[in-house]
Each structure stands twice: as C-alpha cells, then as structure tokens.
Amino acid sequence: MTRIPQGAQTEAVRHLSARLVKAGYEAVDWGEVVSEVGPLRSEVKRRIASPDCRVLVLLGGTGPNPDDITPEALETILEKRFDGFSVLFHVYSHASAGLPGLLSRAVAGIANGTCVLALPASLSALRDIWDNLLFHHLSLDPDICSLVRASLRAEKKSTVAADGMDIPADS
C-alpha cells in the first residue's frame, strides 16, 4: 500500500514509491515537507521510533542553498554514517549530470536501527541512484549485503521521543 499526501505527489515521489513497493516494501508513507532543522529532527526521531520503520527516505534539502538543511538535521541523529554511499552517489551523479551532481550532500546512515537516507528530490538523480545504488542497498533479501541489512544488525537500544530525549527501552 502506498500513501502519498496530495501535496507531495511529485514525479520523484511517485518514481521512488513505485520502486520501493516493487522491491517488496509493504507500505510507503510520505509526510509533509519540513524546512527547519528542529522540526525536521523531531519528525525523523518520531518516525524512527516505530519498530515498523525499517527505512526512512528524506527527499530534498540536500543541496548547497541556505534553506537546504537535511544533512544538518541528521547530524545529531545518525549513530553510524555510511560515507561511501555519498561517494558512490557522487560518482553516478557526476557521470550523468556533470558538475552539478557534485553539489548534492546525499547522506546515508543508521539511527535507532533504521536505515536513514537523505536524497535529492530530482527525478533524474533518483533514477540514477535507484538503478545504480539503491536497488541493491534497499534489498530485503537477507543474503545480500545492503544498507537495510546493516540497519537490522544495529541494536535498537532506545525509543527516541519526538522531543529529542532518548528514553531507554526498559523504562
């Protein structure tokens, strides 16, 4: 099942949603755009607190403009960063888009046992990244080395409250 809010039905969202469902994800739920660091952090923490959230994809806000704040919002949330993801993203993006592809600040990592990805909202960038990188790394196949498998190995040590305070799992 795919739930996409009316205001978020861009080609990029539809493209990525269709690929995620085809890859075996049962539900793809898109939220509203958050363009301030504090509220975005709170929303990410709220979503990754759910044991059902295996992958959280943030689209947009990864460019060089002053209002592109997604990487900054994730700085204090990610427990492990996969810097190689960004490197490979830039390789594929540069090959298809040239120098503008190097301006993205795509991020991947693990937070509270959830694979978190911050990607550009460009349809062409999502096509490149899905075909060359995400298709493999979002695989639900337990025999494939992937970002999802790495996040499943990460122990969920706490439930993260939306106000930014960690609550131990045994409380």
Side-chain angles (χ1 to χ4, degrees), residues 74-127:
L74 295 176
E75 282 175 356
T76 60
I77 298 172
L78 294 178
E79 297 151 11
K80 303 280 183 187
R81 265 182 81 133
F82 301 124
D83 293 328
F85 176 86
S86 181
V87 171
L88 285 177
F89 170 81
H90 286 114
V91 168
Y92 292 120
S93 187
H94 182 263
S96 65
L99 289 177
L102 297 178
L103 296 178
S104 174
R105 298 177 305 136
V107 176
I110 295 175
N112 200 39
T114 299
C115 176
V116 178
L117 301 163
L119 308 172
S122 151
L123 178 59
S124 61
L126 286 176
R127 283 184 179 141

Side-chain angles (χ1 to χ4, degrees), residues 47-50 53-56 78 109-116 151-152 154 156:
R47 287 184 179 258
I48 65 173
S50 168
C53 184
R54 295 176 75 180
V55 176
L56 178 62
L78 294 178
I110 295 175
N112 200 39
T114 299
C115 176
V116 178
S151 68
L152 292 175
K156 285 202 178 214

Side-chain angles (χ1 to χ4, degrees), residues 24-152:
Y25 288 89
E26 292 176 15
V28 178
D29 183 11
W30 292 93
E32 296 301 317
V33 173
V34 179
S35 59
E36 294 179 35
V37 171
L40 181 55
R41 278 189 187 133
S42 294
E43 181 64 13
V44 168
K45 288 177 180 182
R46 183 186 72 76
R47 287 184 179 258
I48 65 173
S50 168
D52 296 329
C53 184
R54 295 176 75 180
V55 176
L56 178 62
V57 180
L58 305 166
L59 290 182
T62 60
N65 297 323
D67 59 343
D68 291 329
I69 49 87
T70 304
E72 289 77 13
L74 295 176
E75 282 175 356
T76 60
I77 298 172
L78 294 178
E79 297 151 11
K80 303 280 183 187
R81 265 182 81 133
F82 301 124
D83 293 328
F85 176 86
S86 181
V87 171
L88 285 177
F89 170 81
H90 286 114
V91 168
Y92 292 120
S93 187
H94 182 263
S96 65
L99 289 177
L102 297 178
L103 296 178
S104 174
R105 298 177 305 136
V107 176
I110 295 175
N112 200 39
T114 299
C115 176
V116 178
L117 301 163
L119 308 172
S122 151
L123 178 59
S124 61
L126 286 176
R127 283 184 179 141
D128 286 345
I129 200 167
W130 181 266
D131 293 343
N132 293 300
L133 199 55
L134 288 183
F135 172 76
H136 307 286
H137 283 290
L138 293 182
S139 172
L140 295 172
D141 184 338
D143 295 327
I144 295 177
C145 179
S146 68
L147 295 171
V148 171
R149 197 161 150 216
S151 68
L152 292 175

